[in-house]
Coordinates of all heavy atoms in Angstrom, one line a residue:
M18 N 36.2 -19.0 31.7 CA 36.3 -18.1 30.5 C 37.3 -17.1 30.5 O 37.1 -16.3 31.5 CB 34.9 -17.7 30.0 CG 34.9 -16.9 28.7 SD 33.2 -16.4 28.3 CE 32.6 -17.9 27.6
K19 N 38.2 -16.7 29.8 CA 39.1 -15.6 29.7 C 38.4 -14.4 29.0 O 37.9 -14.7 28.0 CB 40.4 -16.0 29.2 CG 41.2 -16.9 29.9 CD 42.6 -17.1 29.3 CE 43.5 -18.0 30.2 NZ 44.7 -18.3 29.8
Y20 N 38.7 -13.3 29.4 CA 38.1 -12.0 28.7 C 39.4 -11.2 28.3 O 40.4 -11.1 29.0 CB 37.3 -11.2 29.6 CG 36.0 -11.9 30.1 CD1 35.9 -12.7 31.1 CD2 34.9 -11.8 29.0 CE1 34.6 -13.2 31.3 CE2 33.7 -12.5 29.3 CZ 33.7 -13.2 30.5 OH 32.5 -13.8 30.7
Q21 N 39.4 -10.8 27.2 CA 40.5 -9.8 26.7 C 40.0 -8.5 26.8 O 39.0 -8.0 26.4 CB 40.7 -10.2 25.2 CG 42.0 -9.3 24.7 CD 42.2 -9.7 23.2 OE1 41.5 -10.4 22.6 NE2 43.2 -9.1 22.6
L22 N 41.0 -7.6 27.5 CA 40.7 -6.2 27.6 C 41.0 -5.6 26.3 O 42.2 -5.7 25.8 CB 41.6 -5.6 28.7 CG 41.4 -4.2 29.0 CD1 40.0 -3.9 29.3 CD2 42.4 -3.7 30.0
I23 N 40.1 -4.8 25.6 CA 40.3 -4.2 24.4 C 40.6 -2.6 24.7 O 39.7 -2.0 25.2 CB 39.2 -4.3 23.5 CG1 38.8 -5.7 23.2 CG2 39.4 -3.4 22.3 CD1 37.6 -6.1 22.5
M24 N 41.7 -2.3 24.4 CA 42.2 -0.9 24.6 C 41.8 0.0 23.5 O 41.8 -0.4 22.3 CB 43.7 -0.8 24.8 CG 44.2 -1.6 26.0 SD 43.4 -1.1 27.6 CE 44.2 0.5 27.9
P25 N 41.3 1.1 23.7 CA 41.0 2.2 22.7 C 42.2 2.5 21.8 O 43.3 2.6 22.4 CB 40.2 3.3 23.3 CG 40.8 3.3 24.8 CD 41.0 1.8 25.1
S26 N 42.0 2.9 20.7 CA 43.2 3.3 19.8 C 43.7 4.6 20.4 O 43.0 5.3 21.1 CB 42.9 3.4 18.4 OG 41.9 4.5 18.2
S27 N 44.8 5.1 20.0 CA 45.3 6.4 20.4 C 44.5 7.5 19.8 O 44.2 8.6 20.4 CB 46.8 6.5 20.1 OG 46.9 6.4 18.7
I28 N 43.9 7.3 18.6 CA 43.1 8.3 18.1 C 41.7 8.5 18.8 O 41.3 9.5 19.1 CB 42.8 7.9 16.6 CG1 44.0 8.2 15.8 CG2 41.5 8.9 16.1 CD1 43.9 7.7 14.4
D29 N 41.2 7.2 19.3 CA 40.0 7.4 20.1 C 40.2 8.0 21.5 O 39.4 8.7 21.9 CB 39.5 5.9 20.4 CG 38.9 5.2 19.1 OD1 38.5 6.0 18.2 OD2 38.9 4.0 19.1
H30 N 41.4 7.7 22.2 CA 41.8 8.3 23.3 C 41.9 9.9 23.2 O 41.5 10.6 23.9 CB 43.0 7.7 23.8 CG 43.5 8.3 25.1 ND1 42.8 8.0 26.3 CD2 44.5 9.2 25.4 CE1 43.5 8.7 27.3 NE2 44.5 9.4 26.8
L31 N 42.6 10.3 22.1 CA 42.7 11.7 21.8 C 41.4 12.5 21.7 O 41.1 13.4 22.1 CB 43.7 11.9 20.7 CG 44.0 13.4 20.4 CD1 44.7 14.1 21.4 CD2 45.0 13.3 19.1
R32 N 40.5 11.7 20.8 CA 39.3 12.3 20.5 C 38.5 12.5 21.7 O 37.8 13.6 22.0 CB 38.6 11.5 19.4 CG 37.1 12.0 19.1 CD 36.5 11.0 18.1 NE 37.1 10.9 16.8 CZ 37.6 9.7 16.5 NH1 37.4 8.6 17.2 NH2 38.3 9.5 15.3
N33 N 38.4 11.5 22.6 CA 37.6 11.6 23.8 C 38.3 12.7 24.8 O 37.5 13.3 25.5 CB 37.6 10.3 24.6 CG 36.7 9.2 23.8 OD1 35.9 9.6 22.9 ND2 37.0 8.0 23.8
A34 N 39.6 12.8 24.8 CA 40.2 13.8 25.6 C 39.8 15.2 25.2 O 39.4 16.1 26.0 CB 41.6 13.7 25.7
I35 N 39.7 15.4 23.9 CA 39.3 16.6 23.3 C 37.8 17.0 23.6 O 37.5 18.0 24.0 CB 39.6 16.7 21.8 CG1 41.1 16.7 21.5 CG2 38.8 17.9 21.1 CD1 41.4 16.5 20.0
I36 N 37.0 15.9 23.5 CA 35.6 16.1 23.8 C 35.3 16.5 25.2 O 34.6 17.4 25.6 CB 34.8 14.8 23.4 CG1 34.8 14.7 22.0 CG2 33.4 14.8 24.1 CD1 34.2 13.3 21.5
D37 N 36.1 15.8 26.2 CA 36.0 16.2 27.6 C 36.4 17.6 27.8 O 35.7 18.3 28.6 CB 37.0 15.2 28.3 CG 36.4 13.9 28.5 OD1 35.2 13.5 28.1 OD2 37.3 13.0 28.8
K38 N 37.4 18.2 27.1 CA 37.8 19.5 27.3 C 36.8 20.4 26.7 O 36.5 21.6 27.2 CB 39.2 19.7 26.7 CG 40.3 19.0 27.5 CD 41.6 19.1 26.8 CE 42.6 18.3 27.4 NZ 43.8 17.9 26.8
L39 N 36.2 20.2 25.6 CA 35.2 20.9 24.9 C 34.0 21.1 25.8 O 33.4 22.2 25.8 CB 34.8 20.3 23.6 CG 35.7 20.5 22.4 CD1 35.3 19.7 21.3 CD2 36.0 21.9 22.1
M40 N 33.6 20.1 26.5 CA 32.5 20.2 27.3 C 32.6 21.2 28.4 O 31.7 21.7 29.0 CB 32.2 18.8 28.0 CG 31.9 17.7 26.9 SD 30.4 18.1 26.0 CE 29.2 17.9 27.2
A41 N 33.9 21.4 28.7 CA 34.1 22.5 29.8 C 34.1 23.9 29.3 O 34.2 24.8 30.1 CB 35.4 22.4 30.5
I42 N 34.0 24.2 28.1 CA 34.2 25.4 27.4 C 32.8 26.0 27.3 O 32.0 25.4 26.7 CB 34.9 25.4 26.1 CG1 36.4 24.8 26.2 CG2 34.9 26.8 25.4 CD1 37.0 24.7 24.9
S43 N 32.6 27.3 27.8 CA 31.2 27.9 27.6 C 31.3 29.2 26.8 O 30.3 29.9 26.5 CB 30.7 28.1 29.0 OG 31.5 29.0 29.7
D44 N 32.5 29.6 26.4 CA 32.6 30.8 25.6 C 32.2 30.6 24.1 O 32.8 29.8 23.5 CB 34.1 31.2 25.5 CG 34.4 32.6 24.9 OD1 33.8 32.8 23.9 OD2 35.3 33.3 25.4
K45 N 31.1 31.3 23.8 CA 30.6 31.1 22.4 C 31.5 31.4 21.4 O 31.5 30.7 20.3 CB 29.1 31.8 22.3 CG 28.5 31.6 21.0 CD 27.2 32.2 20.9 CE 26.6 32.0 19.7 NZ 25.3 32.7 19.4
D46 N 32.2 32.5 21.5 CA 33.1 33.0 20.4 C 34.2 32.0 20.3 O 34.6 31.6 19.0 CB 33.7 34.4 20.6 CG 32.6 35.5 20.6 OD1 31.6 35.3 19.9 OD2 32.8 36.4 21.3
Y47 N 34.6 31.3 21.3 CA 35.7 30.4 21.2 C 35.3 29.2 20.6 O 36.0 28.6 19.7 CB 36.3 30.1 22.7 CG 37.5 29.3 22.7 CD1 38.7 30.0 22.5 CD2 37.5 27.9 22.9 CE1 40.0 29.1 22.5 CE2 38.7 27.2 23.0 CZ 39.9 27.8 22.8 OH 41.0 27.0 22.9
L48 N 34.1 28.7 20.9 CA 33.5 27.5 20.3 C 33.2 27.8 18.9 O 33.5 26.7 18.1 CB 32.2 27.0 21.1 CG 32.6 26.5 22.5 CD1 31.1 26.3 23.3 CD2 33.3 25.2 22.4
T49 N 32.8 28.9 18.4 CA 32.5 29.1 17.1 C 33.8 29.1 16.2 O 33.8 28.5 15.1 CB 31.8 30.6 16.9 OG1 30.7 30.6 17.6 CG2 31.5 30.9 15.5
A50 N 34.8 29.6 16.8 CA 36.1 29.5 16.1 C 36.6 28.1 16.0 O 37.2 27.7 15.0 CB 37.1 30.4 16.9
L51 N 36.5 27.2 17.1 CA 37.0 25.9 17.0 C 36.1 25.2 16.0 O 36.6 24.3 15.3 CB 36.7 25.3 18.4 CG 37.9 25.6 19.4 CD1 37.5 25.0 20.8 CD2 39.1 24.9 18.9
N52 N 34.7 25.4 15.9 CA 33.9 24.8 15.0 C 34.4 25.1 13.6 O 34.3 24.3 12.7 CB 32.5 25.2 15.2 CG 31.6 24.5 14.4 OD1 31.5 23.2 14.3 ND2 30.5 25.1 13.7
K53 N 34.7 26.4 13.2 CA 35.2 26.7 11.9 C 36.4 25.9 11.6 O 36.6 25.4 10.6 CB 35.4 28.1 11.7 CG 34.2 29.0 11.6 CD 34.3 30.5 11.6 CE 33.1 31.2 11.6 NZ 33.3 32.7 11.6
L54 N 37.3 25.9 12.5 CA 38.6 25.1 12.4 C 38.3 23.7 12.1 O 39.0 23.0 11.1 CB 39.5 25.2 13.7 CG 40.7 24.5 13.6 CD1 41.7 25.1 12.6 CD2 41.4 24.5 14.9
I55 N 37.5 23.1 12.8 CA 37.1 21.6 12.6 C 36.4 21.5 11.2 O 36.7 20.5 10.5 CB 36.1 21.1 13.7 CG1 37.0 21.1 15.1 CG2 35.6 19.8 13.5 CD1 36.2 20.9 16.3
E56 N 35.5 22.2 10.8 CA 34.9 22.2 9.5 C 35.9 22.3 8.4 O 35.8 21.6 7.4 CB 33.8 23.3 9.4 CG 32.5 23.0 10.3 CD 31.5 24.2 10.1 OE1 31.9 25.2 9.7 OE2 30.4 23.9 10.6
T57 N 36.9 23.2 8.6 CA 38.0 23.4 7.5 C 38.8 22.1 7.5 O 39.1 21.6 6.4 CB 38.9 24.5 7.9 OG1 37.9 25.7 7.9 CG2 39.9 24.8 6.9
A58 N 39.1 21.5 8.5 CA 39.9 20.3 8.6 C 39.1 19.1 8.0 O 39.5 18.3 7.3 CB 40.4 19.9 10.0
A59 N 37.8 19.1 8.3 CA 37.0 18.1 7.9 C 36.8 18.1 6.3 O 36.9 17.2 5.6 CB 35.6 17.9 8.4
A60 N 36.7 19.4 5.8 CA 36.5 19.6 4.4 C 37.9 19.1 3.8 O 37.9 18.6 2.5 CB 36.2 21.0 4.1
K61 N 39.0 19.5 4.3 CA 40.3 19.2 3.6 C 40.5 17.7 3.6 O 41.0 17.1 2.6 CB 41.4 19.8 4.4 CG 42.9 19.6 3.9 CD 43.9 20.1 4.7 CE 45.3 20.0 4.1 NZ 45.7 18.6 3.9
N62 N 40.1 17.1 4.7 CA 40.2 15.6 4.8 C 39.4 15.1 3.7 O 39.9 14.0 3.1 CB 39.8 15.0 6.1 CG 40.1 13.6 6.4 OD1 41.2 13.1 5.8 ND2 39.2 12.9 6.9
S63 N 38.2 15.4 3.5 CA 37.3 15.0 2.5 C 37.9 15.2 1.1 O 37.8 14.2 0.3 CB 35.9 15.5 2.7 OG 35.1 15.1 1.6
A64 N 38.4 16.3 0.8 CA 39.0 16.6 -0.4 C 40.2 15.8 -0.6 O 40.4 15.2 -1.7 CB 39.5 18.1 -0.5
D65 N 41.0 15.5 0.3 CA 42.2 14.7 0.2 C 41.8 13.3 -0.2 O 42.6 12.5 -0.9 CB 43.1 14.5 1.4 CG 43.7 15.9 1.8 OD1 43.9 16.7 0.9 OD2 44.3 16.0 2.8
N66 N 40.7 12.7 0.3 CA 40.2 11.3 0.0 C 39.4 11.2 -1.3 O 39.1 10.2 -1.8 CB 39.4 10.8 1.1 CG 40.3 10.6 2.3 OD1 41.5 10.3 2.3 ND2 39.8 10.8 3.5
S67 N 39.0 12.4 -1.8 CA 38.1 12.4 -2.9 C 38.8 11.9 -4.3 O 38.1 11.4 -5.2 CB 37.5 13.7 -3.2 OG 38.4 14.7 -3.6
D68 N 40.1 12.1 -4.3 CA 40.9 11.6 -5.5 C 41.3 10.2 -5.6 O 41.9 9.8 -6.5 CB 42.2 12.5 -5.7 CG 43.1 12.5 -4.6 OD1 42.7 11.9 -3.6 OD2 44.3 12.8 -4.8
K69 N 40.8 9.4 -4.5 CA 41.3 8.0 -4.5 C 40.2 7.3 -5.3 O 39.0 7.5 -5.0 CB 41.4 7.6 -3.0 CG 42.5 8.3 -2.3 CD 42.7 7.7 -0.9 CE 43.7 8.4 -0.3 NZ 43.8 8.2 1.2
E70 N 40.6 6.5 -6.2 CA 39.8 5.6 -7.0 C 39.6 4.3 -6.4 O 40.4 3.8 -5.9 CB 40.4 5.5 -8.5 CG 40.5 6.9 -9.2 CD 41.1 6.8 -10.5 OE1 41.0 5.8 -11.2 OE2 41.7 7.8 -11.1
E71 N 38.4 3.7 -6.8 CA 38.2 2.4 -6.4 C 38.7 1.5 -7.4 O 38.9 1.9 -8.5 CB 36.6 2.1 -6.2 CG 36.0 2.8 -5.0 CD 34.6 2.4 -4.7 OE1 34.3 1.3 -5.2 OE2 34.0 3.2 -4.1
L72 N 39.1 0.3 -7.1 CA 39.5 -0.5 -8.1 C 38.5 -1.1 -8.9 O 37.3 -1.2 -8.4 CB 40.2 -1.9 -7.4 CG 41.5 -1.7 -6.6 CD1 41.9 -2.9 -5.8 CD2 42.7 -1.2 -7.5
P73 N 38.7 -1.4 -10.3 CA 37.7 -1.9 -11.1 C 37.1 -3.1 -10.6 O 37.8 -3.9 -9.9 CB 38.3 -1.9 -12.4 CG 39.6 -1.2 -12.4 CD 39.9 -1.0 -10.9
K74 N 35.9 -3.4 -10.9 CA 35.2 -4.6 -10.3 C 35.9 -6.0 -10.7 O 36.2 -6.9 -9.9 CB 33.8 -4.7 -10.9 CG 33.0 -5.9 -10.4 CD 31.5 -5.8 -10.9 CE 30.7 -7.0 -10.3 NZ 29.4 -7.0 -11.0
H75 N 36.5 -6.0 -12.0 CA 37.2 -7.3 -12.4 C 38.5 -7.4 -11.6 O 39.0 -8.5 -11.5 CB 37.4 -7.2 -14.0 CG 38.5 -6.1 -14.5 ND1 38.2 -4.9 -14.5 CD2 39.9 -6.4 -14.8 CE1 39.3 -4.3 -15.0 NE2 40.2 -5.1 -15.0
V76 N 39.1 -6.4 -11.1 CA 40.3 -6.5 -10.5 C 40.1 -6.9 -9.0 O 40.7 -7.9 -8.6 CB 41.1 -5.1 -10.3 CG1 42.2 -5.2 -9.4 CG2 41.6 -4.6 -11.7
V77 N 39.0 -6.4 -8.4 CA 38.5 -6.9 -7.1 C 38.2 -8.4 -7.2 O 38.6 -9.1 -6.3 CB 37.4 -6.1 -6.6 CG1 36.8 -6.7 -5.2 CG2 37.8 -4.6 -6.4
E78 N 37.5 -8.8 -8.2 CA 37.2 -10.2 -8.4 C 38.3 -11.1 -8.6 O 38.5 -12.2 -7.9 CB 36.1 -10.3 -9.5 CG 34.8 -9.8 -9.2 CD 33.9 -9.7 -10.5 OE1 34.3 -10.0 -11.6 OE2 32.7 -9.3 -10.4
G79 N 39.4 -10.5 -9.3 CA 40.6 -11.4 -9.4 C 41.3 -11.6 -8.2 O 41.9 -12.7 -7.8
I80 N 41.3 -10.5 -7.4 CA 42.0 -10.5 -5.9 C 41.2 -11.6 -5.2 O 41.9 -12.4 -4.4 CB 41.9 -9.1 -5.3 CG1 43.0 -8.2 -6.1 CG2 42.5 -9.3 -3.8 CD1 42.8 -6.8 -5.8
K81 N 40.0 -11.6 -5.2 CA 39.2 -12.4 -4.3 C 39.5 -14.0 -4.9 O 39.5 -14.8 -4.0 CB 37.7 -12.1 -4.3 CG 37.3 -10.9 -3.7 CD 35.8 -10.6 -3.8 CE 35.6 -9.3 -2.9 NZ 34.1 -8.9 -3.0
R82 N 39.5 -14.2 -6.2 CA 39.8 -15.5 -6.7 C 41.2 -16.0 -6.2 O 41.4 -17.1 -5.8 CB 39.8 -15.6 -8.1 CG 38.4 -15.6 -8.9 CD 38.3 -16.0 -10.3 NE 39.1 -15.0 -11.0 CZ 38.8 -13.8 -11.5 NH1 37.5 -13.4 -11.3 NH2 39.6 -13.2 -12.4
G83 N 42.1 -15.0 -6.1 CA 43.5 -15.4 -5.8 C 43.4 -15.8 -4.2 O 44.1 -16.6 -3.8
Q84 N 42.8 -15.0 -3.5 CA 42.7 -15.2 -2.1 C 42.0 -16.6 -1.7 O 42.6 -17.4 -0.9 CB 41.8 -14.1 -1.3 CG 42.6 -12.8 -1.3 CD 41.7 -11.8 -0.7 OE1 40.5 -11.7 -0.9 NE2 42.3 -10.8 -0.1
V85 N 41.0 -16.9 -2.6 CA 40.4 -18.3 -2.4 C 41.4 -19.4 -2.8 O 41.6 -20.4 -2.1 CB 39.2 -18.5 -3.3 CG1 38.7 -19.9 -3.4 CG2 38.0 -17.4 -2.7
Q86 N 42.2 -19.2 -3.9 CA 43.1 -20.2 -4.3 C 44.2 -20.4 -3.3 O 44.7 -21.4 -2.9 CB 43.8 -19.7 -5.6 CG 42.9 -19.8 -6.8 CD 43.4 -19.3 -8.1 OE1 44.5 -18.6 -8.0 NE2 42.9 -19.7 -9.3
L87 N 44.7 -19.2 -2.7 CA 45.7 -19.4 -1.5 C 45.2 -20.1 -0.4 O 45.9 -20.9 0.2 CB 46.2 -17.9 -1.0 CG 47.1 -17.1 -2.1 CD1 47.3 -15.7 -1.6 CD2 48.4 -17.9 -2.2
K88 N 43.9 -19.9 -0.1 CA 43.3 -20.7 1.2 C 43.2 -22.1 0.8 O 43.3 -23.0 1.7 CB 41.9 -20.0 1.5 CG 42.1 -18.8 2.1 CD 40.7 -18.2 2.5 CE 40.8 -16.9 3.1 NZ 39.3 -16.3 3.4
K89 N 43.0 -22.5 -0.4 CA 43.0 -23.9 -0.9 C 44.4 -24.5 -1.0 O 44.6 -25.7 -1.4 CB 42.2 -24.0 -2.0 CG 40.8 -23.8 -2.0 CD 40.1 -23.9 -3.4 CE 38.7 -23.6 -3.3 NZ 37.9 -23.8 -4.5
G90 N 45.4 -23.6 -0.8 CA 46.8 -24.2 -1.0 C 47.3 -24.2 -2.4 O 48.3 -25.0 -2.8
L91 N 46.6 -23.5 -3.3 CA 47.0 -23.5 -4.7 C 47.9 -22.4 -5.1 O 48.1 -22.2 -6.3 CB 45.7 -23.4 -5.5 CG 44.7 -24.5 -5.3 CD1 43.3 -24.4 -6.2 CD2 45.3 -25.9 -5.8
G92 N 48.4 -21.7 -4.3 CA 49.3 -20.6 -4.5 C 50.6 -21.1 -4.9 O 51.2 -22.3 -4.7
K93 N 51.4 -20.2 -5.6 CA 52.8 -20.5 -6.0 C 53.7 -19.5 -5.3 O 53.4 -18.3 -5.2 CB 52.9 -20.5 -7.5 CG 52.0 -21.5 -8.2 CD 52.7 -21.8 -9.5 CE 51.9 -22.7 -10.3 NZ 51.9 -24.1 -9.7
T94 N 54.9 -19.8 -5.1 CA 55.9 -18.9 -4.6 C 56.3 -17.9 -5.6 O 56.3 -18.3 -6.9 CB 57.1 -19.6 -3.9 OG1 57.8 -20.2 -5.0 CG2 56.8 -20.4 -2.8
S95 N 56.8 -16.8 -5.3 CA 57.3 -15.9 -6.4 C 58.5 -16.6 -7.1 O 58.7 -16.2 -8.4 CB 57.7 -14.5 -5.8 OG 58.5 -14.6 -4.6
E96 N 59.3 -17.3 -6.5 CA 60.4 -18.0 -7.1 C 59.9 -18.9 -8.3 O 60.4 -19.0 -9.4 CB 61.3 -18.8 -6.1 CG 62.1 -18.0 -5.2 CD 61.3 -17.6 -4.0 OE1 60.2 -18.0 -3.7 OE2 61.7 -16.6 -3.3
E97 N 58.7 -19.6 -8.0 CA 58.3 -20.5 -9.0 C 57.7 -19.7 -10.1 O 57.8 -20.2 -11.3 CB 57.1 -21.4 -8.3 CG 57.6 -22.3 -7.3 CD 56.4 -23.0 -6.7 OE1 55.5 -22.4 -6.2 OE2 56.4 -24.2 -6.5
V98 N 57.0 -18.6 -9.9 CA 56.4 -17.9 -11.0 C 57.6 -17.2 -11.8 O 57.6 -17.2 -13.0 CB 55.5 -16.7 -10.4 CG1 55.2 -15.7 -11.6 CG2 54.4 -17.3 -9.7
F99 N 58.6 -16.7 -11.1 CA 59.7 -16.1 -11.9 C 60.5 -17.1 -12.8 O 60.9 -16.8 -13.9 CB 60.8 -15.4 -11.0 CG 60.3 -14.2 -10.3 CD1 60.7 -13.8 -8.9 CD2 59.4 -13.3 -10.8 CE1 60.1 -12.8 -8.2 CE2 58.9 -12.2 -10.2 CZ 59.3 -11.9 -9.0
K100 N 60.7 -18.3 -12.1 CA 61.3 -19.3 -12.9 C 60.6 -19.7 -14.2 O 61.1 -19.9 -15.2 CB 61.6 -20.5 -12.0 CG 62.4 -21.8 -12.7 CD 62.5 -23.0 -11.8 CE 63.3 -24.0 -12.4 NZ 63.5 -25.0 -11.4
K101 N 59.2 -19.9 -14.1 CA 58.4 -20.2 -15.1 C 58.5 -19.2 -16.3 O 58.6 -19.4 -17.4 CB 57.0 -20.4 -14.8 CG 56.0 -20.7 -15.8 CD 54.5 -20.8 -15.3 CE 53.5 -21.1 -16.5 NZ 52.2 -21.2 -16.1
Y102 N 58.4 -17.9 -15.9 CA 58.3 -16.9 -17.0 C 59.7 -16.4 -17.4 O 59.8 -15.7 -18.4 CB 57.5 -15.6 -16.3 CG 56.0 -16.0 -16.3 CD1 55.4 -16.3 -15.1 CD2 55.3 -16.1 -17.5 CE1 54.1 -16.8 -15.1 CE2 54.0 -16.5 -17.4 CZ 53.3 -16.7 -16.3 OH 52.0 -17.0 -16.2
R103 N 60.7 -16.7 -16.7 CA 62.1 -16.3 -17.2 C 62.5 -17.3 -18.2 O 63.2 -16.9 -19.1 CB 63.2 -16.4 -16.0 CG 63.1 -15.1 -15.2 CD 64.2 -15.2 -14.1 NE 63.9 -14.2 -13.1 CZ 64.2 -14.5 -11.8 NH1 64.7 -15.4 -11.5 NH2 64.0 -13.4 -11.0
S104 N 62.0 -18.5 -18.2 CA 62.4 -19.5 -19.1 C 61.7 -19.3 -20.6 O 62.1 -20.0 -21.4 CB 62.1 -20.8 -18.6 OG 60.8 -21.1 -18.5
R105 N 60.6 -18.4 -20.6 CA 60.0 -18.3 -21.8 C 60.8 -17.3 -22.7 O 61.6 -16.5 -22.7 CB 58.7 -17.7 -21.7 CG 57.8 -18.7 -21.1 CD 56.5 -18.2 -20.9 NE 55.6 -19.2 -20.5 CZ 54.2 -19.1 -20.4 NH1 53.6 -18.1 -20.8 NH2 53.6 -20.2 -19.8

């Protein structure tokens, strides 16, 4: 049996490296300042993502129907679609 080595993403690697360094810090003022920085970044990240809308249910259902049709081989090429609708 073959096993595949799964490498952590670069974000995971960076996060773990930062955690390792934080574990060595014992200065309370420094850690408090870092905590405020992280809280600010987390709040900004949350705010940046808050304006993203979810697709309406009927759109998601239509996408799923299309994916099922493609898996069944019922899809059409863009050339076929363009040819059909250009002739109208």
Side-chain angles (χ1 to χ4, degrees):
M18 178 181 283
K19 291 185 176 182
Y20 293 95
Q21 181 179 5
L22 179 61
I23 300 173
M24 299 300 293
S26 72
S27 59
I28 291 176
D29 290 336
H30 179 73
L31 180 58
R32 183 182 299 116
N33 290 334
I35 291 169
I36 290 169
D37 289 344
K38 291 172 185 165
L39 284 173
M40 296 301 291
I42 299 171
S43 58
D44 183 320
K45 184 177 179 180
D46 292 334
Y47 190 79
L48 289 171
T49 301
L51 280 173
N52 188 47
K53 287 181 184 177
L54 177 68
I55 291 168
E56 286 175 348
T57 302
K61 182 184 181 308
N62 187 43
S63 177
D65 288 347
N66 292 327
S67 67
D68 63 344
K69 295 183 179 163
E70 297 180 25
E71 290 188 25
L72 292 173
K74 185 178 178 181
H75 72 279
V76 173
V77 174
E78 290 170 353
I80 292 170
K81 288 179 181 178
R82 282 193 306 272
Q84 289 172 330
V85 169
Q86 289 175 343
L87 285 174
K88 286 180 183 175
K89 291 180 178 179
L91 301 175
K93 300 208 181 284
T94 67
S95 46
E96 290 83 15
E97 292 171 314
V98 173
F99 292 144
K100 184 177 180 181
K101 177 181 178 179
Y102 288 103
R103 281 186 193 140
S104 64
R105 289 185 174 190

